[in-house]
Amino acid sequence: MKSVSVSAASILLLLCSSSFERPNVPVHQPIIVTADSLHVRSGPGRSFSITNKLTKNTRLSVSDRQGDWYYVESSDIQGWVFKKFTKTVALRSVQPSMQVAQREPVYTLSKSLRHLKGKTIIIDAGHGGKDKGAIGTQGTYEKDLTLRTALILQNKLQKEGAHVILTRTHDEYLLLSQRTLQSTKADAFISIHYNSTNSSQLTGLMTYYYHQHQDSPLTHSIHQSLINHAKLKDKGERFGNYYVLRENTRPSTLIELGFLSNEREETYINSISYQQMITSAIAEGLNHYFQSKEKTQTHL
């Protein structure tokens, strides 16, 4: 019996240590230190060693939580801090352009995306102005999140030599016809959205096309790249009778990048690290699409 109890204790210790040494949940919203001085510890408790010290107004990102302790990260600090001496920063209170500039881990592109060079790509940040879109369980406005995603994506595509047009660059209301107005000469049109439903249990990514021959190759390339990179459920590629797809004469797709109606998923998709990762995935999907088109045309 004694050996059994020792074994059980060892297993419990292993489980506890693994849960705080290697946090594996997505990054939460940013926090700010409210105390004049705050210790960073090697584990979630006062008995753990102090590894660093933070000053008031230091900004960090939370990537795990145990009781009253946060596991926090910045460019040069990782460890546990006491929750009581921090304050959560609401992403909705920060302008999308400022959210893009926050110091967060950057998800780099896995390879050179040379097939994007010279391509004209329209990015449509869904909703805007009086049209808030979906509202998350924590108060996230879809219109803010789509714009932040569009701005990050624009930056990455332009670095690869693409000509990028945004249907909106700030919080403004657009008619659906205005969104497709510039797409007549585009090589691809991407409408960015985030999902919501009455069920708080639904999660995942989905993409839409309207014209089978025109749109589905683009949708498929982006969808596969999203699924390969994002840790979200694959809800498939679907036919969608949406104006921005139906009335579009160029290859187009509408993507739903997660559910704001699921609290855990809302936290994940709100993080800058997710935004960096998902925009890299879209860029790689676009590159694959144009590469496939070039190969097809070569063999004609």
Side-chain angles (χ1 to χ4, degrees):
M1 292 296 293
K2 184 177 180 179
S3 61
V4 172
S5 63
V6 170
S7 177
S10 299
I11 292 172
L12 179 61
L13 179 60
L14 177 62
L15 290 173
C16 289
S17 63
S18 65
S19 66
F20 63 74
E21 286 177 358
R22 296 183 62 85
N24 58 2
V25 297
V27 176
H28 288 220
Q29 292 178 324
I31 61 169
I32 288 180
V33 175
T34 56
D36 292 331
S37 177
L38 179 61
H39 289 146
V40 180
R41 297 183 180 270
S42 60
R46 295 182 188 276
S47 61
F48 290 91
S49 61
I50 297 171
T51 59
N52 217 316
K53 187 180 291 187
L54 302 172
T55 56
K56 191 171 184 178
N57 293 326
T58 300
R59 193 184 189 97
L60 305 141
S61 291
V62 177
S63 59
D64 199 3
R65 178 189 302 172
Q66 286 196 23
D68 292 328
W69 293 82
Y70 284 150
Y71 184 86
V72 296
E73 296 178 290
S74 70
S75 58
D76 54 358
I77 294 173
Q78 297 84 36
W80 293 87
V81 298
F82 195 46
K83 174 184 174 183
K84 180 180 178 181
F85 302 115
T86 66
K87 180 177 68 175
T88 300
V89 179
L91 277 173
R92 189 157 61 85
S93 67
V94 184
Q95 290 296 319
S97 57
M98 293 300 293
Q99 294 171 11
V100 173
Q102 290 185 73
R103 291 185 63 188
E104 294 283 347
V106 175
Y107 189 95
T108 56
L109 296 168
S110 63
K111 54 189 175 182
S112 173
L113 307 184
R114 62 185 181 85
H115 298 282
L116 295 175
K117 188 174 182 179
K119 298 296 189 296
T120 298
I121 300 165
I122 294 182
I123 306 171
D124 173 40
H127 308 284
K130 64 182 181 181
D131 176 13
K132 298 180 178 68
I135 301 177
T137 63
Q138 301 171 61
T140 305
Y141 287 172
E142 182 184 4
K143 67 172 185 175
D144 294 337
L145 199 51
T146 59
L147 182 55
R148 177 150 52 100
T149 307
L151 290 169
I152 297 173
L153 180 57
Q154 177 192 34
N155 183 53
K156 292 186 178 183
L157 296 179
Q158 287 178 336
K159 285 182 178 179
E160 298 296 329
H163 173 52
V164 181
I165 300 171
L166 298 182
T167 58
R168 65 182 182 96
T169 58
H170 56 281
D171 186 17
E172 65 173 325
Y173 175 76
L174 296 174
L175 297 173
L176 292 175
S177 58
Q178 291 176 284
R179 296 179 183 275
T180 58
L181 194 61
Q182 301 181 69
S183 66
T184 54
K185 295 182 180 180
D187 295 294
F189 177 99
I190 303 172
S191 189
I192 296 172
H193 290 262
Y194 289 85
N195 229 326
S196 182
T197 180
N198 291 331
S199 171
S200 62
Q201 302 304 310
L202 288 182
T203 63
L205 291 160
M206 60 180 71
T207 55
Y208 291 93
Y209 62 89
Y210 182 82
H211 303 283
Q212 178 70 40
H213 178 71
Q214 173 183 286
D215 301 339
S216 57
L218 172 64
T219 300
H220 180 71
S221 289
I222 291 178
H223 184 86
Q224 290 304 308
S225 186
L226 291 173
I227 295 305
N228 289 339
H229 289 79
K231 297 177 181 178
L232 291 183
K233 184 177 180 180
D234 181 358
K235 296 190 73 67
E237 304 163 37
R238 309 180 179 199
F239 170 81
N241 187 17
Y242 297 108
Y243 183 97
V244 293
L245 303 181
R246 185 181 67 247
E247 304 300 321
N248 212 314
T249 60
R250 304 299 296 158
S252 56
T253 187
L254 186 148
I255 55 181
E256 297 275 8
L257 297 172
F259 280 81
L260 292 172
S261 48
N262 179 283
E263 185 174 1
R264 182 178 177 84
E265 190 151 289
E266 178 188 8
T267 298
Y268 180 30
I269 63 183
N270 241 324
S271 67
I272 300 297
S273 58
Y274 175 81
Q275 294 287 305
Q276 291 285 358
M277 178 271 293
I278 213 70
T279 49
S280 291
I282 295 169
E284 290 186 7
L286 274 167
N287 185 70
H288 181 267
Y289 165 71
F290 290 126
Q291 182 180 19
S292 298
K293 281 196 70 174
E294 289 171 16
K295 286 182 179 179
T296 301
Q297 290 168 353
T298 300
H299 289 90
L300 288 178

